[in-house]
């Protein structure tokens, strides 16, 4: 599968669609999910064109991978849901069985309340 440059997150990265930004640097963008499933529900995406985690790990540079992972901790610090506060959950859907809807790699970060069971 090829990367679709018209996916919704690519449009957000190009500034064609607005988002409620949490954090941004040269490698990543984090913003609130438009349809939050928990009190805090944000998305973290790399700026590079990667479909999912597998695609990312296969093609991204080590720097991109490190920056993407480190950004999780930066984002939860900003949101005040880090392990020093209440804690949080990170989830990524990959491919058909997961129900991935947007084909640009994204991590869901949930928090702000008791999260319940991992799998619904
Ligand atoms: P997936 O099912 O692909 O893992 O998750 C896609 C997520 O993107 C969903 O939680 C959905 O609410 C969110 N989403 C879809 N379109 C938009 C949008 O235009 N803006 C924002 N902020 N989130 C979106």
């Amino acid at each position: 599968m090829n990367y679709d440059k018209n996916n919704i997150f690519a449009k957000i990265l190009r500034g064609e669609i607005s988002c409620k930004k949490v954090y941004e640097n040269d490698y990543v963008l984090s913003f609130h999910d438009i349809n939050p499933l928990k009190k805090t529900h944000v998305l973290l995406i790399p700026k590079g064109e990667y479909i999912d985690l597998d695609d990312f790990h296969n093609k991204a540079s080590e720097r991109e991978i490190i920056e993407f992972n480190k950004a999780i901790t930066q984002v939860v610090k900003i949101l005040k849901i880090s392990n020093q506060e209440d804690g949080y959950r990170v989830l990524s859907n990959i491919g058909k069985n997961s129900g991935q809807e947007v084909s640009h790699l994204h991590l869901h970060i949930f928090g702000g309340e008791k999260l319940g069971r991992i799998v619904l």
Side-chain angles (χ1 to χ4, degrees):
M1 186 163 103
N2 291 324
Y3 181 84
D4 170 17
K5 286 178 185 291
N6 282 321
N7 75 72
I8 206 98
F9 295 164
K11 290 181 180 176
I12 286 176
L13 282 170
R14 289 196 294 269
E16 295 166 11
I17 292 177
S18 63
C19 69
K20 204 171 148 203
K21 193 190 295 183
V22 174
Y23 176 70
E24 181 173 19
N25 67 22
D26 288 347
Y27 296 91
V28 305
L29 175 66
S30 176
F31 50 94
H32 289 271
D33 196 291
I34 202 166
N35 182 25
L37 298 176
K38 294 292 174 189
K39 193 165 172 200
T40 300
H41 181 180
V42 306
L43 302 170
L44 174 65
I45 66 175
K47 290 195 169 174
E49 298 180 344
Y50 304 106
I51 296 169
D52 59 25
L53 264 185
D54 291 343
D55 191 39
F56 186 59
H57 292 148
N58 286 329
K59 296 181 187 158
S61 67
E62 295 203 350
R63 182 73 194 266
E64 287 174 291
I65 293 169
I66 289 167
E67 293 289 343
F68 187 59
N69 278 281
K70 285 178 71 170
I72 298 169
T73 294
Q74 192 63 32
V75 167
V76 299
K77 209 187 280 178
I78 291 166
L79 295 168
K80 300 195 186 311
I81 58 168
S82 74
N83 194 29
Q84 273 68 51
E85 273 100 6
D86 294 329
Y88 60 99
R89 177 175 296 153
V90 177
L91 179 151
S92 193
N93 289 317
I94 296 128
K96 262 192 317 215
N97 275 356
S98 73
Q100 180 179 0
E101 285 174 5
V102 181
S103 51
H104 181 111
L105 168 60
H106 50 284
L107 301 183
H108 296 260
I109 302 174
F110 301 105
E113 62 179 320
K114 274 267 184 238
L115 295 173
R117 292 163 65 96
I118 293 176
V119 180
L120 301 176

